[in-house]
Amino acid sequence: MAPICVLVGAPGSGKTSTGQVLATALGVGFRDTDLDIEATAGKPIPEIFVDEGEDHFRTLERDAVLAALGEFDGVLALGGGAILAESTRAALAGHTVVYLSVELTDAIRRVGLGAGRPLLAINPRATLKYLLDQRRPLYQEVAAHTVITDGRTPEQVADEILHLLKA
């Protein structure tokens, strides 16, 4: 069992909104590993960062991604930083990974400036730019396909992914 596709990308790239539209179009389930982490921890991600720290969160994230890759057969969205772990990037090999690319302006418009996002709490614009620059090569490394999301609706992005999956 494996996901039909795995969506990766920065905060604001549209992984959740596009993933839900795509899953509906394909007639399959949608799963977001961030929600899995919150269910396991029994608290929201910002609280995990504050109470236990980023390292603990990243451990939960690696476990959630590995579990989902092995037991879920729908559309899977990973948290923006999941690809930071080399073990996660290795686990994604052989999966149909779609990188949802977003530039800074659209990402800021979509996520706001940090509300509920622990890594964006201080100087969110500069931090988000840094995250985009730092993670882009890692997203590209794991991706079978890259879809640009800037200026597009989740429906438009999902439609492009549908075409890619059928190709």
Side-chain angles (χ1 to χ4, degrees):
M1 181 179 298
I4 288 176
C5 76
V6 180
L7 303 178
V8 299
S13 62
K15 297 178 298 291
T16 300
S17 55
T18 297
Q20 291 169 335
V21 171
L22 181 61
T24 299
L26 290 167
V28 299
F30 171 76
R31 184 166 172 179
D32 182 331
T33 56
D34 280 351
L35 297 178
D36 292 351
I37 294 164
E38 290 182 342
T40 298
K43 60 177 120 177
I45 288 172
E47 288 184 26
I48 299 169
F49 268 75
V50 170
D51 296 346
E52 287 91 21
E54 184 176 357
D55 286 346
H56 179 71
F57 169 76
R58 296 294 175 202
T59 299
L60 294 175
E61 184 173 54
R62 285 190 298 278
D63 294 345
V65 170
L66 287 176
L69 289 174
E71 67 191 25
F72 182 68
D73 61 0
V75 175
L76 178 64
L78 305 189
I83 48 78
L84 293 172
E86 189 173 329
S87 61
T88 297
R89 294 194 306 278
L92 289 170
H95 290 277
T96 302
V97 179
V98 179
Y99 164 37
L100 301 184
S101 174
V102 66
E103 296 303 323
L104 183 61
T105 301
D106 272 37
I108 287 173
R109 186 174 48 76
R110 293 174 185 168
V111 302
L113 290 175
R117 297 186 184 257
L119 291 180
L120 300 181
I122 299 169
N123 197 350
R125 183 179 204 87
T127 302
L128 187 53
K129 181 181 182 336
Y130 171 77
L131 291 178
L132 288 169
D133 293 344
Q134 174 201 39
R135 296 175 180 177
R136 187 175 326 265
L138 300 177
Y139 295 134
Q140 292 168 334
E141 174 187 323
V142 299
H145 306 286
T146 297
V147 177
I148 295 169
T149 66
D150 298 282
R152 302 172 77 194
T153 66
E155 292 76 16
Q156 291 168 324
V157 175
D159 190 50
E160 182 175 340
I161 296 169
L162 281 171
H163 288 295
L164 291 169
L165 293 177
K166 292 176 184 174

